[in-house]
Amino acid sequence: MSNATLSRHTLSHLDWLESEAIHIMREVAGQCSNPVLLFSGGKDSICMLRVAEKAFRPGRFPFPLMHIDTGHNYKEVTDFRDKRAAELGERLIVRSVEDSMRRGTVVLKSPTESRNKHQSVTLLEAIAEFEFDACIGGARRDEEKARAKERIFSFRDEFGQWDPKNQRPELWDIYNARTFKGENIRAFPISNWTELDVWQYIEREQLELPSIYYAHRRQVVRRGGAIVPVTELTPAKTGEEVVESMVRFRTVGDITCTAPVESTADSIAKIIAETALTTITERGATRLDDQTSEAAMEQRKKEGYF
């Protein structure tokens, strides 16, 4: 048996996914002059950092890290973000929706309006500020219908907008990152991964995570079929019963639109077992801003969202 044949029989599906992600990340670094890796401290971007390590270590990453912060993110996650970037010795750029609010480019309809959808404005401003020609993100096709339409190298026009009908073919895994000044590419190395793949990769690589991914006790209310954490930003409404439940977060983001799920999974092995049995996508179950309309995410992506 040849070495090539032996390799095909011994590589696991995680090996193949990791190899593809490394290839994509190196393609971005090779084709683009000024890319950036989006890193929020969430589980998908944590996997992306490990892929980047395997793609470029022992050298430094050929791009900085960047997070678009709403100013309303969970402290456990932003603290982890800062700690992980420091451990790697990589440059971390943080731009906040609050910066855009001070500039007047983001105006909230009310003080309680979610800032999550306004990340698009801040992201586009950061891209223009640093003249990034590619943003490497951790979005996956299994998360949401609009993301399933997106290419690995997703072309954005000079306004930062996504047109699903104006994308480039990617036959035989050949990627085209050519852009004119002002245009950019959003690249998604783990696009073909599933939520289960992510957790299995975290287990295999023994990756550290923010604590809120594991089951813990938290005060919550039940609202519109979702479990809403009780915080200063999301207080209980009149007539709602506040209870303390065992919950964990499947995905993390702005506090005002990220809901946990009931769970006793306090280890990665237990989370993998839960994930293997679930029939609801993580965003469908826990992202309150995506439940209002099936077209909500697609519209936000057309406006520049990652």
Side-chain angles (χ1 to χ4, degrees):
M1 183 181 294
S2 70
N3 289 337
T5 303
L6 181 63
S7 295
R8 284 197 296 271
H9 285 283
T10 57
L11 288 177
S12 70
H13 82 286
L14 289 179
D15 292 324
W16 286 109
L17 290 171
E18 179 188 70
S19 178
E20 177 187 51
I22 290 171
H23 168 67
I24 292 166
M25 205 169 282
R26 286 173 174 168
E27 281 291 302
V28 175
Q31 293 192 44
C32 302
S33 62
N34 190 24
V36 64
L37 192 154
L38 301 176
F39 176 60
S40 66
K43 68 182 189 307
D44 300 308
S45 59
I46 289 168
C47 289
M48 295 275 287
L49 287 189
R50 177 49 56 89
V51 170
E53 286 185 89
K54 295 194 175 187
F56 304 111
R57 286 298 192 235
R60 295 286 300 275
F61 294 172
F63 37 67
L65 313 178
M66 183 169 72
H67 182 215
I68 304 301
D69 191 342
T70 64
H72 287 169
N73 290 86
Y74 288 95
K75 188 174 187 301
E76 298 96 323
V77 181
T78 54
D79 285 350
F80 181 91
R81 173 201 70 191
D82 297 341
K83 180 175 78 75
R84 189 71 188 107
E87 289 171 348
L88 290 169
E90 298 293 343
R91 178 188 177 198
L92 172 65
I93 300 166
V94 178
R95 290 294 180 268
S96 175
V97 173
E98 293 178 342
D99 300 330
S100 301
M101 291 168 60
R102 282 190 288 270
R103 286 190 291 269
T105 52
V106 166
V107 178
L108 302 183
K109 295 178 181 177
S110 70
T112 59
E113 181 188 0
S114 173
R115 300 174 180 181
N116 199 52
K117 67 179 182 180
H118 298 293
Q119 285 178 295
S120 304
V121 174
T122 310
L123 174 62
L124 294 177
E125 289 174 344
I127 289 172
E129 176 186 354
F130 295 98
E131 298 185 342
F132 292 129
D133 58 351
C135 293
I136 308 169
R140 308 187 323 269
R141 286 182 172 135
D142 75 321
E143 290 181 273
E144 203 275 335
K145 292 179 181 179
R147 284 183 164 167
K149 295 180 181 181
E150 200 149 27
R151 299 281 200 259
I152 299 291
F153 275 32
S154 179
F155 172 74
R156 305 299 174 105
D157 65 21
E158 64 272 25
F159 302 105
Q161 296 178 328
W162 175 64
D163 179 359
K165 297 180 180 179
N166 182 28
Q167 297 297 313
R168 297 162 180 178
E170 293 179 341
L171 303 175
W172 305 291
D173 296 333
I174 297 175
Y175 306 111
N176 178 3
R178 182 178 300 172
T179 58
F180 292 106
K181 187 174 179 60
E183 300 171 342
N184 66 86
I185 293 291
R186 310 288 173 85
F188 303 109
I190 63 170
S191 184
N192 291 327
W193 297 29
T194 65
E195 183 184 7
L196 184 59
D197 294 328
V198 167
W199 282 111
Q200 290 176 331
Y201 190 73
I202 289 169
E203 180 183 51
R204 189 186 81 171
E205 299 295 313
Q206 299 181 3
L207 300 178
E208 185 182 357
L209 295 168
S211 60
I212 64 175
Y213 277 113
Y214 299 100
H216 58 283
R217 302 199 71 84
R218 185 178 289 264
Q219 286 193 327
V220 301
V221 296
R222 297 186 180 278
R223 183 182 302 160
I227 300 172
V228 180
V230 177
T231 70
E232 291 184 3
L233 296 171
T234 54
K237 297 180 179 179
T238 303
E240 290 183 329
E241 181 185 5
V242 178
V243 298
E244 191 173 86
S245 296
M246 284 292 289
V247 299
R248 68 177 177 88
F249 287 82
R250 290 174 65 185
T251 180
V252 296
D254 189 280
I255 292 172
T256 63
C257 63
T258 306
V261 295
E262 285 187 300
S263 174
T264 58
D266 56 3
S267 69
I268 293 178
K270 292 178 182 178
I271 292 173
I272 288 173
E274 275 192 359
T275 304
L277 295 176
T278 188
T279 58
I280 303 175
T281 66
E282 62 199 275
R283 295 191 75 91
T286 65
R287 295 304 288 264
L288 304 178
D289 55 336
D290 290 346
Q291 294 177 2
T292 56
S293 168
E294 288 186 5
M297 173 62 80
E298 182 163 336
Q299 181 59 39
R300 288 169 64 192
K301 292 178 78 64
K302 288 179 179 178
E303 294 170 354
Y305 189 69
F306 46 83

